Amino acid sequence: MNQNPVEEGQKFPLTIRRMGINGEGIGYFKKAVVFVPGAITGEEVVVEAVKVRDRFTEAKLNKIRKKSPNRVTAPCPVYEACGGCQLQHVAYSAQLELKRDIVIQSIEKHTKIDPTKLKIRPTIGMEDPWRYRNKSQFQTRMVGSGQVETGLFGANSHQLVPIEDCIVQQPVTIKVTNFVRDLLEKYGVPIYDEKAGSGIVRTIVVRTGVKTGETQLVFITNSKKLPKKREMLAEIEAALPEVTSIMQNVNQAKSSLIFGDETFLLAGKESIEEKLMELEFDLSARAFFQLNPFQTERLYQEVEKALVLTGSETLVDAYCGVGTIGQAFAGKVKEVRGMDIIPESIEDAKRNAEKNGIENVYYEVGKAEDVLPKWVKEGFRPDAVIVDPPRSGCDQGLIKSLLQVEAKQLVYVSCNPSTLARDLALLAKKYQIRYMQPVDMFPQTAHVETVTLLQRR
């Protein structure tokens, strides 16, 4: 193995050749690869080696000798400490180009497919790439003599960065979070202490229906107890009429997962309503729903363009969540079937179908890799499949089922280019990749969503 020529603490000049999948700059020093967060393609910089590994070096940016024309000043005051966004220092047009390149890099790294032979389209961006997130999950902590802070953990750390305003969040989510934070402080409610495992309130989760104005607040707690509950609910109801649902979720696990399994109603109704493509959706506390409702409609339009539907097809919506994608297409096919592992999501999906007057849908709780083969055994064969898996990609069992089922059309909606590329390498045995369409669902971050159309060979 090559010995890395770089030593820890060493400072050296570097030209940034490309940006990586996490939005970091990439350069080469004596042929050894160097990753530099905050550096942009084309810049000449001076860096300092922070972590030296056999095959690469992580360095910090010390000085910019030649600045990229795409460099802008990040408008967020805690941008560098927070780590929630990675690209605020990059002009938006260049962010969109980078996201297409991230898809190309993933294909290069995880497959034997030549990306120059693929149709990878330019990224679809937003007119206004700020204030788009409809949901916030802010951690709480106690500082000094009873002061409560809310914010996010810094990049690769468990240090809380206090956040007074987040400019990629819908303003109402911040307003509600800050109001609740002040109430917790006012009433001296015990705040969860991760090290000691003591205290009660861990996280404040707020989600808003952008088209309906309905907002849900969830207290994530370390126990069923929530002291001063009555007083706090009375103040919230008086000051924040937009909060139509207040829930409590109990999570006693020592893990980085936000939600536990038990959720109950404190005030208002169990779920909030949101509208998407003329349809109405009920969202319960744990149900998955896209975080950028503006771009979700663009994303679904791209899925619609990808599918050729005559009205006689059967369609599977794998990882269906609250049924959004499948129900958007129910009027264009004979039958839609969906599955999801979260029972509340399936309840929501059934309720949403009823609400929207959709009768040709069927939902089942379970893993896609278990449910699809079972349906096939029962004699059901889908003509088209939409998969919209979590960041971990499709389960290998589901890939196997998809290769056996051989649906004519397969649309893969991905939120992680690396797992998308890994899955495409396997699906390529039976499917041809017609094109890939990146969509920017999370401006200012290195995340990219991709709609890939696959057709049976």
Side-chain angles (χ1 to χ4, degrees):
M1 197 177 282
N2 293 350
Q3 200 50 47
N4 196 328
V6 180
E7 286 176 21
E8 215 156 285
Q10 186 178 345
K11 293 180 182 168
F12 51 93
L14 198 67
T15 299
I16 305 300
R17 302 284 177 205
R18 193 177 198 176
M19 287 174 77
I21 59 169
N22 300 309
E24 73 281 43
I26 300 175
Y28 298 90
F29 181 72
K30 297 182 181 171
K31 295 189 180 169
V33 67
V34 183
F35 296 111
V36 191
I40 301 178
T41 306
E43 289 190 327
E44 290 171 16
V45 297
V46 177
V47 301
E48 183 181 332
V50 179
K51 259 190 202 161
V52 178
R53 299 275 182 269
D54 282 341
R55 305 179 66 158
F56 64 90
T57 298
E58 289 175 27
K60 69 174 182 190
L61 185 59
N62 266 7
K63 192 169 150 200
I64 302 169
R65 284 181 170 167
K66 183 184 159 210
K67 201 162 90 167
S68 163
N70 293 319
R71 180 172 285 280
V72 295
T73 302
C76 170
V78 294
Y79 170 56
E80 284 176 21
C82 162
C85 297
Q86 301 82 39
L87 299 176
Q88 284 193 20
H89 64 291
V90 181
Y92 190 55
S93 58
Q95 289 186 30
L96 296 178
E97 284 170 25
L98 167 63
K99 293 191 182 202
R100 180 177 179 272
D101 191 54
I102 286 172
V103 173
I104 292 168
Q105 287 182 51
S106 299
I107 297 287
E108 286 170 349
K109 187 175 175 185
H110 299 285
T111 76
K112 292 191 168 70
I113 303 164
D114 177 358
T116 62
K117 300 264 190 333
L118 294 178
K119 241 194 200 152
I120 303 175
R121 297 174 171 177
T123 309
I124 296 170
M126 285 185 84
E127 280 79 60
D128 178 10
W130 302 99
R131 300 281 182 200
Y132 57 83
R133 283 182 69 103
N134 60 5
K135 184 182 185 183
S136 61
Q137 304 185 136
F138 278 20
Q139 312 295 335
T140 60
R141 73 156 179 213
M142 184 78 82
V143 287
S145 54
Q147 194 192 346
V148 179
E149 287 183 339
T150 48
L152 298 171
F153 291 126
N156 310 319
S157 88
H158 258 245
Q159 285 300 106
L160 193 90
V161 177
I163 296 172
E164 197 56 43
D165 185 20
C166 174
I167 53 181
V168 294
Q169 283 290 152
Q170 280 279 309
V172 68
T173 64
I174 297 296
K175 175 183 161 189
V176 173
T177 302
N178 290 352
F179 186 83
V180 173
R181 173 200 66 198
D182 295 347
L183 281 185
L184 294 171
E185 189 174 307
K186 174 179 172 180
Y187 288 110
V189 178
I191 300 300
Y192 180 64
D193 179 326
E194 197 181 29
K195 281 201 181 95
S198 62
I200 291 178
V201 178
R202 295 172 72 128
T203 311
I204 299 167
V205 178
V206 183
R207 171 152 61 182
T208 189
V210 169
K211 287 194 177 165
T212 62
E214 291 190 357
T215 299
Q216 182 179 63
L217 161 67
V218 187
F219 289 92
I220 310 276
T221 58
N222 188 35
S223 77
K224 277 190 177 174
K225 277 200 311 245
L226 182 56
K228 301 291 181 185
K229 180 164 61 186
R230 268 209 305 275
E231 293 87 335
M232 290 197 294
L233 294 178
E235 289 212 35
I236 292 164
E237 283 173 10
L240 302 169
E242 59 269 49
V243 177
T244 53
S245 166
I246 305 177
M247 308 294 289
Q248 183 179 350
N249 172 273
V250 181
N251 179 5
Q252 294 174 312
K254 276 188 165 18
S255 87
S256 57
L257 292 176
I258 302 282
F259 281 88
D261 289 335
E262 200 180 357
T263 311
F264 42 90
L265 179 69
L266 297 181
K269 44 186 199 164
E270 293 263 347
S271 56
I272 57 167
E273 200 173 273
E274 178 60 305
K275 292 187 173 134
L276 195 64
M277 293 178 92
E278 311 305 312
L279 300 174
E280 292 181 355
F281 293 98
D282 274 336
L283 308 177
S284 59
R286 285 179 68 211
F288 171 77
F289 191 74
Q290 294 280 7
L291 292 165
N292 182 340
F294 311 100
Q295 287 293 83
T296 298
E297 297 206 339
R298 305 287 294 274
L299 182 78
Y300 289 3
Q301 283 160 6
E302 288 308 313
V303 175
E304 193 175 341
K305 283 182 203 165
L307 288 168
V308 179
L309 300 171
T310 62
S312 63
E313 289 83 6
T314 50
L315 173 71
V316 165
D317 177 9
Y319 308 96
C320 68
V322 298
T324 42
I325 289 191
Q327 289 181 33
F329 295 101
K332 299 180 172 69
V333 295
K334 187 172 86 182
E335 184 189 7
V336 176
R337 290 192 179 196
M339 71 291 264
D340 199 283
I341 55 169
I342 296 179
E344 292 101 313
S345 291
I346 292 296
E347 284 311 306
D348 285 344
K350 288 176 180 173
R351 212 174 29 247
N352 292 330
E354 209 171 303
K355 195 176 201 167
N356 292 308
I358 297 170
E359 290 176 354
N360 61 335
V361 291
Y362 169 77
Y363 292 107
E364 201 169 307
V365 177
K367 293 177 177 175
E369 60 271 20
D370 297 336
V371 176
L372 185 58
K374 187 186 80 137
W375 288 345
V376 172
K377 263 200 188 116
E378 293 163 1
F380 170 83
R381 283 194 101 76
D383 301 300
V385 177
I386 300 168
V387 293
D388 186 2
R391 287 191 62 73
S392 50
C394 288
D395 180 272
Q396 298 307 293
L398 178 62
I399 299 265
K400 214 167 125 186
S401 303
L402 291 170
L403 291 171
Q404 282 163 355
V405 166
E406 293 188 19
K408 282 195 199 78
Q409 306 176 70
L410 172 59
V411 177
Y412 192 138
V413 181
S414 157
C415 59
N416 182 346
S418 299
T419 54
L420 168 65
R422 178 202 71 196
D423 292 347
L424 290 179
L426 299 169
L427 290 166
K429 289 176 200 159
K430 296 252 176 106
Y431 288 93
Q432 183 190 359
I433 300 167
R434 294 305 303 268
Y435 67 79
M436 302 176 81
Q437 175 61 69
V439 179
D440 189 17
M441 295 288 279
F442 300 103
Q444 319 308 329
T445 78
H447 292 294
V448 56
E449 200 98 4
T450 314
V451 175
T452 303
L453 172 63
L454 298 123
Q455 271 182 342
R456 193 175 70 200
R457 287 187 188 280

